[in-house]
Amino acid sequence: MSVEPVDVPFRENPDFDSEHFFDDVIGVSKNIKNTPRRIKFWASHEQSQYIMTKPVHPSQKLKRRNEEDGSCIFEIEVVINFEMYSVFMSYGPGIKIIYPRQACAYMRDKLREAAALYDENVE
């Protein structure tokens, strides 16, 4: 495979706003037509304390605190992408996406796959 120069002039894309293109995303994986979704997630007491001081995303809002166990419900508005899932997975059992359903299902399936790796006797 080779790379050849082409004689195609550059055209500005009027739909691309370089200043704010990544405002609604965790990481950098985003297409121009992606739209942000409301993501609701539960966090344990321990993780809530950390997430309040180091938000998952600038759009983060505390929706509810459980006074009994210290856990919290948070909400963010972001484009759903691999980096978002990666961040949530990094919190392990201290965090759970509760909305939207397809994000819950994705996390459940991936975490089951990960847990299955530890059930195998591989050396």
Side-chain angles (χ1 to χ4, degrees), residues 4 6-7 17 20 25 34-35 43 59 64-65 76 78 84-85 88 92-93 96 101 103 122:
E4 301 293 326
V6 293
D7 192 20
D17 177 5
H20 300 286
V25 70
N34 287 147
T35 56
S59 66
R64 188 171 61 239
R65 173 181 274 142
I76 57 175
V78 296
M84 180 200 81
Y85 289 125
F88 282 118
K96 177 184 177 185
R101 280 193 164 169
V122 179

Side-chain angles (χ1 to χ4, degrees), residues 30-71:
K30 180 183 175 185
N31 292 319
I32 256 187
K33 299 207 187 302
N34 287 147
T35 56
R37 299 283 314 269
R38 181 171 51 101
I39 310 296
K40 258 186 171 173
F41 62 96
W42 167 91
S44 67
H45 171 71
E46 295 79 17
Q47 295 298 1
S48 292
Q49 290 179 327
Y50 181 78
I51 289 168
M52 280 193 257
T53 60
K54 302 266 190 275
V56 171
H57 186 263
S59 66
Q60 181 175 300
K61 294 178 183 149
L62 173 63
K63 299 307 277 181
R64 188 171 61 239
R65 173 181 274 142
N66 182 329
E67 296 302 328
E68 290 179 25
D69 66 6
S71 66

Side-chain angles (χ1 to χ4, degrees), residues 14-27:
D15 296 329
F16 184 74
D17 177 5
S18 62
E19 286 291 316
H20 300 286
F21 185 71
F22 295 105
D23 288 355
D24 58 5
V25 70
I26 294 173

